[in-house]
Amino acid sequence: MTEAAEMENALSLERFARYVAWASGDRHRALELYTLNTQLSEALYTPLQVLELALRNRIHTIMSAAYGERWFDTAELLQAPHQREQVQGALAELAKDDKEPLSGRVVAALTFSFWTAMVSPIYENLWRSTLSAIAVKPDGKRLSRKHLSRPLTPIRLLRNRIAHHEPILHWDLRKHHAIMLEMTFWLSPPAARWCVRIDRFPGIYPSDGYQLASENEQLS
């Protein structure tokens, strides 16, 4: 068996079929695309991680200053049901493990969806009164809530695809990578500079790009 055939068996026909279609039936090229997808997914982990941590920590810092470090225990502050469920789930897990429910432990247990929800439309009033302090442009100007909420939605979806080992080559990865870095600079310039120093994405992404047979599937 060829390497491509062996990988096709290992990955399942359904999963590998996407790459075969992108390669117009050329299974050797399909394996190359699968390899590139894996490498780019790995490379994007760093900017995704840094962005998530910067967003989480800035929100927690600002909300703690305004409402106390247990701000997430205040029911009226959390507008989305899934956020309240996540907090209760985190507390339950800590209790199950016989760990003290320190605020840092609870915050660390909350997912990216919790933090992206904090800049969704339901928090417009809180953004204006408090949350707008989490980020600032290089010129010192505050951002609107939409500056974060609009790009964070596709980034969260991209993050989930990577976490579940799904194809991402049909996304505009260079655009989303640039947006991740820009938002991280808004939230934490030191974290962004550190990320840039170790970021492997620019070296992994082909300098001349790549072509997929199903161009109509290209996502923004």
Side-chain angles (χ1 to χ4, degrees):
M1 295 179 66
T2 66
E3 183 181 16
E6 291 173 342
M7 283 299 294
E8 189 170 355
N9 288 335
L11 298 172
S12 82
L13 295 177
E14 182 180 0
R15 181 175 293 270
F16 198 66
R18 187 73 172 275
Y19 299 94
V20 174
W22 281 341
S24 299
D26 182 339
R27 280 169 163 70
H28 178 73
R29 175 58 180 160
L31 181 56
E32 291 179 343
L33 291 174
Y34 180 82
T35 301
L36 179 61
N37 193 89
T38 302
Q39 292 172 330
L40 289 173
S41 296
E42 178 190 26
L44 285 171
Y45 178 83
T46 296
L48 282 168
Q49 173 186 277
V50 177
L51 172 58
E52 181 172 352
L53 291 175
L55 179 66
R56 181 183 83 186
N57 293 333
R58 284 300 295 156
I59 291 176
H60 181 53
T61 296
I62 296 303
M63 291 294 287
S64 294
Y67 303 102
E69 67 173 17
R70 304 290 300 188
W71 59 272
F72 46 80
D73 284 332
T74 306
E76 57 267 26
L77 283 178
L78 297 182
Q79 302 297 311
H82 82 273
Q83 290 180 295
R84 294 190 288 272
E85 291 170 3
Q86 280 198 31
V87 171
Q88 292 307 309
L91 293 171
E93 282 297 314
L94 289 171
K96 179 181 176 182
D97 295 337
D98 198 28
K99 293 182 178 179
E100 186 178 354
L102 301 175
S103 61
R105 288 174 176 169
V106 177
V107 165
L110 303 176
T111 69
F112 196 35
S113 66
F114 179 96
W115 303 109
T116 56
M118 294 298 296
V119 295
S120 64
I122 57 177
Y123 284 103
E124 181 65 38
N125 290 336
L126 186 62
W127 176 270
R128 293 178 180 178
S129 67
T130 307
L131 282 175
S132 60
I134 69 172
V136 64
K137 290 183 177 181
D139 60 8
K141 294 182 179 179
R142 293 281 177 88
L143 297 116
S144 71
R145 180 189 56 76
K146 292 180 180 178
H147 275 103
L148 289 175
S149 65
R150 283 177 176 167
L152 273 175
T153 296
I155 286 173
R156 178 176 56 81
L157 296 176
L158 179 60
R159 175 193 180 278
N160 291 343
R161 292 192 68 84
I162 291 173
H164 291 93
H165 320 300
E166 297 291 335
I168 61 170
L169 293 182
H170 54 307
W171 287 63
D172 189 341
L173 298 178
R174 282 185 292 194
K175 182 185 81 170
H176 292 301
H177 173 261
I179 290 173
M180 288 179 216
L181 293 180
E182 181 178 40
M183 287 195 295
T184 303
F185 267 108
W186 294 343
L187 293 160
S188 173
R193 287 191 289 270
W194 177 84
C195 181
V196 168
R197 285 202 305 272
I198 67 169
D199 187 4
R200 297 176 59 244
F201 179 85
I204 297 295
Y205 195 96
S207 58
D208 55 352
Y210 52 85
Q211 293 293 320
L212 303 179
S214 304
E215 289 296 337
N216 59 313
E217 294 187 29
Q218 192 78 19
L219 297 184
S220 59

